[in-house]
């Protein structure tokens, strides 16, 4: 028998860990796994918040049944319909035929589309409330954090937010569920990776959601992934991480992302990085796009203000993985970045031309002059790489003042 974990009186954790999947959304690596969090409040009316990925429904229903201890399930609030959370909803309705599904208009549309369920669905609007007895729920619609139907539910008595993907992290919950039971530092980089990979395009909707949340007192954050945040300093920290990321604010530092088939273009990256360090820039992260998953490169691009991209010419185009990286950056509407670039060719150059087109299409501030190398590093190319590194360092240092 699997028992749920009691977080506090009337509040149970019904979630579980996924250490099986290699890729979240079949895109993003999961070296530390991921948790799918679901919660239950017991009261005069019992309410479940989200379900879990269908692969884990068996364990989930065992935990739910034990937590309910023979009581009926009255409501399931669907804060987010992505199948990592709603996957078990159809089965839930089969097992608990009287459960009322609570969501907004867009949720109802998706519940019908994914599960063919149209009956016993309570459609709420922004600001609506639902009393459970001692506990009371208020619904805040937060579209595009991360899908159009996403919402955050606020339990007003204990001041708990059930936040959906917001404030979520990659990484399983290994024993501890709340931030006081584990080392929160372990999750912060995975929170940034989760945000930048999954939610990163939606900075403006996230800002609107944070504005709504700024009006309420929050004592617990129950996200659908990662730890439950309960300590005031951790709550402030995770909100400030989301605020900073959604404003596309980076720290001082430079990501150099390059492609290189035989190491010549790589030498340009090394030279630029050397000069950045000479100028006192300590956070310089070099990523080979062939070796490092884009998931981590995107995370670091969200972390740091400086971005320098380099590529050889390949079939008269960019190196394929560099092109793929640019599409990921474009797809996230990245702003507030300082951008430099370099490229190479052997007999006919195309990489720098394409990088110039990319640079022109962004809102980035272009730093220094692009460097184009023919075949291998000459003294002139070396000097130009040094100049690009110096220009980037100067721009970052200017922001210190
Ligand atoms: Fe965790 Fe947008 O799903």
């Amino acid at each position: 028998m699997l028992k749920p974990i009691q977080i506090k009186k009337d509040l149970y954790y019904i979630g579980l860990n996924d250490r099986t999947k290699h890729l979240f959304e079949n895109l993003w690596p999961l070296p530390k796994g991921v948790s799918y969090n679901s919660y239950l409040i017991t009261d005069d009316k019992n309410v479940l918040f989200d379900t879990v990925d269908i692969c884990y429904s068996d364990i989930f229903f065992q935990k739910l049944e034990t937590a309910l201890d023979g009581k009926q399930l009255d409501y399931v609030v669907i804060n987010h319909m992505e199948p990592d959370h709603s996957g078990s909803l159809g089965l839930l309705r089969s097992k608990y035929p009287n459960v009322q599904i609570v969501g907004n208009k867009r949720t109802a549309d998706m519940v019908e589309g994914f599960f063919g369920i149209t009956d016993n669905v309570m459609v709420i609007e922004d600001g609506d409330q639902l009393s459970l007895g001692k506990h009371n729920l208020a619904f805040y619609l937060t579209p595009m954090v991360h899908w159009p139907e996403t919402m955050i539910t606020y339990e007003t008595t204990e001041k708990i937010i059930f936040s959906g993907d917001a404030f979520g992290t990659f990484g399983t919950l290994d024993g501890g569920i709340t931030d006081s039971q584990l080392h929160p530092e372990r999750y912060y980089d995975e929170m940034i990776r989760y945000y930048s990979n999954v939610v990163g395009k939606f900075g403006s909707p996230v800002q609107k959601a944070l504005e709504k949340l700024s009006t309420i007192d929050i004592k617990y954050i129950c996200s659908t992934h990662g730890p439950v945040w309960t300590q005031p300093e951790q709550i402030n920290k995770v909100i400030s991480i989301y605020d900073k990321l959604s404003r596309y604010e980076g720290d001082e530092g430079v990501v150099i992302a390059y492609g290189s088939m035989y190491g010549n273009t790589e030498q340009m990256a090394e030279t630029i990085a050397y000069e950045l360090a000479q100028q006192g820039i300590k956070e310089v992260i070099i990523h080979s796009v062939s070796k490092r998953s884009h998931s981590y490169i995107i995370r670091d691009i969200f972390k740091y203000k400086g971005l320098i991209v380099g590529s050889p010419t390949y079939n008269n185009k960019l190196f394929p993985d560099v092109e793929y990286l640019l599409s990921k950056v474009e797809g996230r509407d990245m702003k507030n970045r300082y951008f430099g670039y370099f490229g190479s060719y052997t007999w006919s150059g195309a990489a720098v031309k394409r990088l110039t087109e990319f640079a022109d299409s962004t809102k980035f501030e272009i730093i220094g002059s692009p460097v184009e190398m023919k075949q291998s590093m000459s003294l002139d190319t070396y000097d130009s790489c040094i100049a690009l590194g110096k220009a980037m360092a100067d721009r970052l240092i200017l922001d210190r003042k």
Side-chain angles (χ1 to χ4, degrees), residues 360-381:
D360 291 344
S361 73
T362 66
K363 297 187 184 100
F364 298 161
E365 182 177 329
I366 311 303
I367 302 298
S369 301
V371 187
E372 186 168 42
M373 178 175 80
K374 184 177 180 185
Q375 292 158 359
S376 68
M377 182 78 83
S378 64
L379 194 54
D380 278 354
T381 307

Side-chain angles (χ1 to χ4, degrees), residues 24-64:
F24 186 76
E25 295 182 335
N26 251 345
L27 283 169
W28 314 110
L30 290 171
K32 296 177 180 172
V34 67
S35 70
Y36 308 117
N37 300 345
S38 170
Y39 305 89
L40 177 76
I41 288 183
T42 54
D43 200 337
D44 296 344
K45 299 285 186 187
N46 301 307
V47 58
L48 181 70
F49 297 89
D50 297 298
T51 70
V52 298
D53 188 302
I54 187 80
C55 301
Y56 295 90
S57 56
D58 192 23
I59 305 167
F60 169 70
F61 285 118
Q62 286 183 48
K63 287 187 176 185
L64 178 58

Side-chain angles (χ1 to χ4, degrees), residues 24-25 34-36 80-85 145-147 149-150 164-165 194 198-199 224-225:
F24 186 76
E25 295 182 335
V34 67
S35 70
Y36 308 117
H80 185 19
M81 274 300 293
E82 194 165 6
D84 52 334
H85 310 298
V145 186
H146 145 229
W147 278 12
E149 87 302 353
T150 44
D165 281 344
Y194 182 83
V198 178
V199 192
T224 45
H225 300 289

Side-chain angles (χ1 to χ4, degrees), residues 28 196-197 293-303 325 328-329 332 334:
W28 314 110
S196 60
N197 290 188
S293 158
H294 289 92
S295 173
Y296 295 89
I297 306 177
I298 291 289
R299 176 199 64 190
D300 289 341
I301 292 172
F302 268 77
K303 280 170 82 170
L325 177 66
K328 296 281 178 212
V329 173
R332 279 158 183 73
M334 292 292 306

Side-chain angles (χ1 to χ4, degrees), residues 58 86 100 111 145 157 189 200 203 205 221 237 276 309 311 335-336 358 384 397:
D58 192 23
S86 72
Q100 192 157 26
V111 168
V145 186
T157 319
D189 247 14
I221 296 179
K237 181 159 179 171
L276 283 162
V309 174
S311 174
K335 301 171 186 68
N336 306 332
F358 170 78
S384 299
I397 289 164

